[in-house]
Amino acid sequence: MDHDTRAALRSDLLDAAAEGLSASTAVTSRENSLRYARILRRIRATILPRILVIECEGSPPLKLEVSNGRILAMDATGERGNLAPLSSADLPQLTCALERIAEQPGPISLRSIPIPDGRPTFATGIAASQLQLSEQAADLPESVAQLFAAAAQGSGPNDAEATAGITGEGEILIVGTDDPAGDLEFEASILGRRVHGCLKGHSLGEVVAAWAQVRRA
Amino acid sequence: MMPAALSEGMSLADLEHLRLRLSGCEITMLADIAATTVLGVSSALAHPQEHYDQLCTQARTALTYGGRPRPYAVSASPFGVRLYLRAPDHPDEVLCLVLPHLADVDLALHQAQAALTGQPHAGESPDGP
């Protein structure tokens, strides 16, 4: 599939998902969110980059696609006209199915999982915040990651120090200044330490990406 | 019929348009952080109002970090990225974006700035959604 075709398909899928999601139920339980994140990270580690396709048994059969930070579903023919929102009642079932997949050894490219009740097609964005695309993690500025690593140790060029700030574990807050050439200030918390400092010459995106790298280390 | 205007140069349709243009963006919200009032929301999921009120409060906290006003702020956690951007002419009005983990934050900031200044198509990604 060439780039343009893939981009068009992704756009169509996301549009359809957005339409379906507008009527769906939010996942508000923190416990559930953590659970989804853990499961989906495990799946990501096995099957990304790009796309996971899971064929689901049922009537009609479903095809789940993990793409562009979302889990989407469509019927096995690939037609996208039948998308409908996934309700909160479906999430535990889908999660259990994904758990079973994640527990199986070996690469996951195509697996069959049962969908109870033979539910019709649906679209969901339950993983929108948790999934990562490998390609976005590429080309991280190593200097920024090293800077954060030094900050987390309480020393280094940031002059980092413990503060009574607002970030929680694993979080970073980056704030800008009115001066376009001004430094970005940040506060971050990791491994029970809260640090803050300034960063020169890096964009917001670079800092966020580097922070994700530090957090995974 | 003209779309309902939330603020000078911004409507609900603009919020929706911005959200759909940013890959994986879950929420775009315009809020008055001085009054802690949500002016408008476009969301992929139907959240309770408390969720948006909390986002508004978080925006105010982030944009006053260190005891002085900040033009923009980004909060990133294992569960996603939140971007807060003040409107240039009305600094109490803030555009809030809830984005996926490892979103293209630079592009999001650029498009959010463009949306706030009435240039919603500036900075468009050639292969974005």
Side-chain angles (χ1 to χ4, degrees), chain B residues 95-117:
Chain B
L95 184 57
C96 308
L97 273 57
V98 177
L99 300 159
H101 188 69
L102 283 186
D104 187 337
V105 180
D106 294 327
L107 175 65
L109 177 63
H110 190 70
Q111 292 210 0
Q113 287 172 326
L116 276 174
T117 54

Side-chain angles (χ1 to χ4, degrees), chain A residues 143-212:
Chain A
S143 60
V144 180
Q146 290 173 347
L147 208 55
F148 277 133
Q153 293 165 7
S155 60
N158 280 321
D159 228 2
E161 62 187 48
T163 68
I166 63 174
T167 53
E169 178 64 28
E171 293 179 345
I172 185 170
L173 173 70
I174 309 152
V175 293
T177 64
D178 287 320
D179 177 7
D183 299 341
L184 293 174
E185 288 183 47
F186 77 92
E187 177 192 298
S189 296
I190 191 166
L191 300 175
R193 293 181 59 87
R194 184 174 287 124
V195 296
H196 70 94
C198 297
L199 293 167
K200 288 181 183 291
H202 297 288
S203 73
L204 275 174
E206 287 175 334
V207 176
V208 171
W211 176 247

Side-chain angles (χ1 to χ4, degrees), chain A residues 23-40:
Chain A
S24 66
T25 305
V27 179
T28 54
S29 161
R30 180 170 176 77
E31 181 183 349
N32 280 345
S33 297
L34 290 170
R35 188 170 174 225
Y36 298 142
R38 186 171 63 249
I39 293 164
L40 293 166

Side-chain angles (χ1 to χ4, degrees), chain B residues 32-115:
Chain B
D32 183 329
I33 60 171
T36 319
T37 302
V38 176
L39 302 174
V41 175
S42 171
S43 176
L45 293 169
H47 295 283
Q49 181 62 38
E50 290 78 7
H51 185 80
Y52 306 119
D53 292 341
Q54 186 181 40
L55 185 59
C56 181
T57 302
Q58 290 170 348
R60 184 175 56 193
T61 302
L63 289 170
T64 55
Y65 180 76
R68 58 193 174 96
R70 308 288 185 162
Y72 61 87
V74 170
S75 169
S77 77
F79 303 107
V81 175
R82 295 182 174 195
L83 189 155
Y84 312 108
L85 177 66
R86 291 180 188 269
D89 297 332
H90 304 278
D92 287 339
E93 290 183 2
V94 170
L95 184 57
C96 308
L97 273 57
V98 177
L99 300 159
H101 188 69
L102 283 186
D104 187 337
V105 180
D106 294 327
L107 175 65
L109 177 63
H110 190 70
Q111 292 210 0
Q113 287 172 326

Side-chain angles (χ1 to χ4, degrees), chain A residues 107-149:
Chain A
I108 300 170
S109 57
L110 188 65
R111 290 280 167 80
S112 292
I113 58 173
I115 296 292
D117 304 329
R119 286 181 178 278
T121 54
F122 52 73
T124 179
I126 59 170
S129 297
Q130 285 82 22
L131 287 174
Q132 303 165 9
L133 288 181
S134 296
E135 64 187 56
Q136 289 179 308
D139 301 325
L140 285 176
E142 193 174 341
S143 60
V144 180
Q146 290 173 347
L147 208 55
F148 277 133

